[in-house]
Structures are given as structure tokens and as C-alpha cells.
Amino acid sequence: TDPRTGVHFAAGPITLSGDTALTFVRQRYGLPNGDFDRIAHQQQLVAAIGEKIKGADLIANPLFAAHVVQIVAANLTVDSGMTPDLMTQLLVDIVSTPPSGVHFYTAPSAGFGVSSDGQDYVNLDMTKFTAACDAMRNDRPIPLPGTPINLP
């Protein structure tokens, strides 16, 4: 149960939409690992959306793919080179990837801190993060532990 909103999430598989999904991915209070559990929730939701979209044959239904891109694009700020056509192709590529090729990672942390105005924060481990980014750019294995995502 999110102590700030009172929204309760039952154990096990659940169906989320709209504001409830937003509450799920924003919750960090009342979770044993705080921000890290929130990250896990975000990864679970992204994986579940991917699985849901995979059920719709995007290659056979390009209008649906374009509609998904339109919704996503309306909620992102992207570089000018990220055109709707490129986003559509990326979407098709992503949902065409077999589950064994999909991996989630959490940026490595180097402890915690408190800002001058009392806000808690997580320090990024720049050495490990730079190595992970370099590995991605060069199509090498990511030197971070993956996050297992188990969907029903």
C-alpha cells in the first residue's frame, strides 16, 4: 500500500492503467528498498507494456504502431533526429526482440547523500556507469548485474 496515496497493490500479477499505473511507478515510500524498488516497479511496467504491445502484430498493423509512437512522442522530449518514422522502426525492432535479448539494468550507485535543503539522493557511480555506457556503445556485454523481470 502506498502510504502517501492509500492505493493498495495486491501481491502477484495485477492489471494497471492510467493514474494507478502512475502511482505504482512513482511509489517509493513504504517499500523496503525505497528508490530502488521504485526503479524495479518502473522496469516491470515497461516490460509489461512491451509484452502487451508484442501481442499486437505491429508489422501487420502499421497504423497501430504509428498510434503507439504518437502517444509516446507526445510524452517525450527528443532530439530533432528522432523522427516519428525512426521511432516506429525502433518500436518494431524492440518488440521483435526475443525475451532472451531483453535486459534491464539499474544505474550503479555509490552510496547516498542529503542535499543542503534536506533532500535525500542516490550518488551515481560514474566509473561503473561510464563502463556500462561504453559497453553499450560498442556492443559488448554490460558490466552490471541485470534486473530479472518475471511477468506472468
Side-chain angles (χ1 to χ4, degrees), residues 13-145:
I14 56 176
T15 300
L16 301 173
S17 62
D19 289 340
T20 306
L22 190 58
T23 298
F24 180 74
V25 298
R26 286 184 171 170
Q27 180 186 4
R28 70 177 185 256
Y29 297 104
L31 298 173
N33 297 306
D35 283 328
F36 294 104
D37 285 338
R38 176 172 56 178
I39 292 166
H41 282 182
Q42 293 165 353
Q43 292 171 341
Q44 290 168 354
L45 186 69
V46 167
I49 290 169
E51 286 300 308
K52 186 87 167 176
I53 290 173
K54 280 183 182 186
D57 188 354
L58 297 180
I59 296 169
N61 192 350
L63 291 177
F64 180 71
H67 182 66
V68 169
V69 166
Q70 183 181 22
I71 291 169
V72 171
N75 293 284
L76 294 177
T77 301
V78 297
D79 294 338
S80 60
M82 183 60 76
T83 64
D85 286 344
L86 178 57
M87 289 178 78
T88 302
Q89 183 56 55
L90 288 170
L91 176 63
V92 170
D93 290 346
I94 290 168
V95 299
S96 299
T97 302
S100 62
V102 177
H103 306 280
F104 286 86
Y105 299 93
T106 300
S109 64
F112 304 92
V114 178
S115 66
S116 60
D117 63 351
Q119 301 294 313
D120 294 327
Y121 61 86
V122 179
N123 290 308
L124 180 63
D125 184 324
M126 283 305 295
T127 302
K128 289 181 181 176
F129 183 70
T130 301
C133 290
D134 182 59
M136 284 185 258
R137 268 191 301 279
N138 294 296
D139 200 23
R140 291 192 322 262
I142 311 300
L144 296 173

